[in-house]
Amino acid sequence: MNKLYIEGNKQLSGNVRISGSKNAALPILFMSILTKEKVQLTNVPKLTDIDTTIQLLKYLGAKIKNKKKILHIDTSLIKSNCPPYHLTKKIRASIWLLAPLLIRFGKAKIFLPGGCKIGSRPIDLHIKGLIELGANITLEDNYIFATIEKPLIGKNIYIQKVSVGATITIMGAAALSEGTTVIENAAREPEIIDIAKFLNTLGANIIGAGNNKIFIKGVSRLFGGTHKVIPDRIETGTFLIGAAISQGNVICHQTEPKFLKNVLIKLLESGAKINIGKNWIQLDMRGKKPKSINIATSPYPGFPTDLQPQFTLLNTISQSEGITTENIFENRFIYVSELIKMGAQIKIKKNSVICKGVSHLQSQNVFSTDLRGAATLVLAGCIASGITIVNNIYHFERGYELFSEKLNKLGANIKHI
Ligand code: EPZ
């Protein structure tokens, strides 16, 4: 059952409930290791990456139960500081085991993380930040070995490249360091704000998350607490683009419009009519095909790299020519070859793709290679002529809760085969 059978020529219209943010829930789960008291999380999406993370925490000794959609986490009994290779390797997020286990045990052995093959995915900025706080870290062939002789000491840390992951690693470590840490050139994503809010709920003292300078006054310990994970802005954008490419009219509920300012501006440029409310966004194409748009990805609040493939798809069936430039990851156009197989007219030039709009895509047997590329191929299948088979769907099951079910409720006809 690792394939989808997708009937094309569908218009996506109706209501969809957005799930909790994968990229907030994953680090929050790992940062729960920083406290020995009980934590409750709500709005955690049901994803294979979340399942892997829960397996990792349970392997270390944590007790985790999901009761009535509330995730109850108790890490007080965690006794291992060396997570297993086979689970660590499955996800990029496992890098966020390093700081909490190091703080908890004074030493940690973490295998190098996995994640989408959209670039080299280095971890040097995570390591540099922890060394600046006083950790001793050696990188062996496929694992990190870290120790601390005495409590970490807060420092002014300038991260040389804007990095969501490294900002989170340093913020988590600094929360329980002595003294104050100032993170400069910090990532500003909404997920960073949510993680800071979670840690502050447990008793941390973090000010300025969401800006490029974050102040963290170390505390001696963290307590328990309850936290609701923010909505997934990338899932929201994916469904809005689904409406835009199929000339449909979709309302995304339980989301946060302010997280998608730049994305909505681009969708308006494509000719969409957009209405927003407190926690919903409506996109109505009024039956029209989208105009092509040029996008260039950059760190938040710039255009999100995680919506780059989906917007390229929009350009492939737009009214003229659009350029997508990828400035975050060095290899995030793998999905393009599959769209070309479906009849898209795309040229890759360095870190840009130039799309010449065609009247429609043709159905094909296509292969996913990463999370957002996979979601893009599924959307392409919904609008192509005929029946499209998307292979390796485990890629999108990592990051989209009930994706095909939600699309079918909007008028798609997708079957697992
Ligand atoms: C997070 O990845 C997200 N993943 C990504 O979402 C997202 O695209 C990315 O942030 C946006 O920046 C999760 O939250 C699990 P980075 P992360 O550190 O933390 C370089 C998805 O589809 N870099 O912000 O790995 C890196 O190579 C995924 O949901 C270093 O050089 O990204 C990249 O060019 C894909 N050294 C840039 O920084 C480091 O130590 C931004 O990476 C770390 C990163």
Side-chain angles (χ1 to χ4, degrees):
M1 297 278 268
N2 190 23
K3 296 181 184 194
L4 290 184
Y5 177 100
I6 307 174
E7 194 184 319
N9 296 315
K10 297 294 178 192
Q11 187 183 80
L12 300 176
S13 288
N15 297 287
V16 60
R17 186 200 180 285
I18 297 302
S19 302
S21 163
K22 165 181 88 81
N23 290 350
L26 290 171
I28 283 170
L29 279 165
F30 285 118
M31 291 300 149
S32 66
I33 296 172
L34 289 170
T35 181
K36 291 182 180 170
E37 300 199 14
K38 291 186 174 57
V39 162
Q40 296 80 37
L41 298 179
T42 58
N43 205 33
V44 177
K46 179 111 193 65
L47 306 168
T48 52
D49 273 15
I50 296 286
D51 295 343
T52 302
T53 301
I54 290 172
Q55 283 174 54
L56 269 166
L57 292 172
K58 284 182 172 175
Y59 181 96
L60 296 171
K63 295 262 172 287
I64 302 180
K65 281 198 183 59
N66 194 336
K67 282 190 275 190
K68 298 195 190 87
K69 296 196 174 210
I70 300 173
L71 211 53
H72 296 267
I73 302 160
D74 175 358
T75 67
S76 60
L77 299 174
I78 280 190
K79 50 194 174 304
S80 160
N81 62 354
C82 177
Y85 174 80
H86 72 284
L87 290 174
T88 307
K89 203 65 200 160
K90 283 174 107 176
I91 55 177
R92 170 75 180 176
S94 49
I95 186 62
W96 291 316
L97 283 160
L98 177 59
L101 290 177
L102 179 60
I103 300 259
R104 188 81 178 256
F105 295 101
K107 65 177 174 181
K109 176 183 173 184
I110 311 290
F111 289 101
L112 295 180
C116 288
K117 303 232 173 328
I118 52 179
S120 56
R121 311 302 294 272
I123 55 164
D124 58 310
L125 300 175
H126 298 248
I127 305 291
K128 276 187 199 133
L130 292 174
I131 289 172
E132 291 215 37
L133 290 170
N136 311 306
I137 299 189
T138 51
L139 259 182
E140 306 300 336
D141 53 349
N142 71 341
Y143 67 88
I144 307 154
F145 187 64
T147 60
I148 43 178
E149 272 90 46
K150 53 189 187 322
L152 297 177
I153 308 286
K155 288 280 293 291
N156 278 26
I157 297 175
Y158 179 84
I159 307 179
Q160 293 103 315
K161 186 172 184 181
V162 176
S163 160
V164 169
T167 301
I168 294 167
T169 287
I170 298 166
M171 193 165 71
L176 286 171
S177 298
E178 287 181 3
T180 298
T181 296
V182 181
I183 303 177
E184 304 205 45
N185 200 30
R188 299 171 54 193
E189 274 71 358
E191 292 76 31
I192 304 276
I193 301 172
D194 204 36
I195 296 150
K197 189 174 167 210
F198 166 68
L199 291 172
N200 284 343
T201 300
L202 306 187
N205 188 340
I206 300 171
I207 299 165
N211 301 303
N212 58 10
K213 195 180 262 193
I214 305 175
F215 298 83
I216 303 119
K217 196 171 177 318
V219 294
S220 56
R221 59 171 285 201
L222 294 179
F223 300 90
T226 297
H227 181 79
K228 180 180 181 187
V229 173
I230 55 170
D232 195 311
R233 60 194 169 98
I234 304 302
E235 183 195 19
T236 305
T238 303
F239 281 109
L240 293 175
I241 290 162
I245 62 172
S246 64
Q247 297 134 56
N249 177 358
V250 165
I251 305 175
C252 294
H253 296 275
Q254 306 294 320
T255 190
E256 177 46 84
K258 71 180 180 201
F259 293 162
L260 289 128
K261 267 191 208 126
N262 261 317
V263 173
L264 296 179
I265 289 168
K266 288 295 177 184
L267 287 168
L268 283 167
E269 259 182 57
S270 77
K273 181 169 174 285
I274 304 263
N275 287 313
I276 59 174
K278 186 174 169 306
N279 62 358
W280 57 267
I281 303 172
Q282 177 181 20
L283 184 144
D284 183 1
M285 286 309 281
R286 291 167 290 183
K288 287 190 301 217
K289 291 198 82 170
K291 293 185 201 117
S292 58
I293 40 178
N294 296 330
I295 60 156
T297 65
S298 63
Y300 194 90
F303 190 90
T305 174
D306 295 345
L307 286 173
Q308 176 261 98
Q310 300 91 320
F311 266 80
T312 299
L313 170 60
L314 182 146
N315 278 336
T316 63
I317 46 91
S318 66
Q319 297 166 24
S320 56
E321 185 172 287
I323 301 174
T324 309
T325 301
E326 173 58 58
N327 295 311
I328 305 287
F329 290 108
E330 65 272 28
N331 186 24
R332 199 163 202 176
F333 292 134
I334 315 165
Y335 65 93
V336 165
S337 57
E338 299 304 293
L339 289 180
I340 292 171
K341 268 167 64 180
M342 296 178 80
Q345 290 194 11
I346 308 176
K347 281 200 195 71
I348 298 182
K349 272 178 101 174
K350 296 204 185 95
N351 64 326
S352 293
V353 288
I354 300 129
C355 295
K356 197 167 168 11
V358 294
S359 60
H360 65 278
L361 297 176
Q362 289 116 34
S363 55
Q364 262 294 346
N365 184 33
V366 291
F367 292 81
S368 318
T369 50
D370 65 275
L371 164 56
R372 306 302 173 183
T376 296
L377 293 176
V378 173
L379 291 182
C382 290
I383 59 167
S385 57
I387 303 291
T388 294
I389 305 290
V390 177
N391 298 275
N392 303 334
I393 59 167
Y394 61 86
H395 282 295
F396 79 68
E397 287 168 338
R398 294 183 44 208
Y400 287 91
E401 184 177 44
L402 299 171
F403 192 44
S404 48
E405 292 82 350
K406 289 184 179 183
L407 285 169
N408 284 340
K409 279 207 186 111
L410 294 174
N413 185 357
I414 301 171
K415 295 186 188 68
H416 284 244
I417 53 176

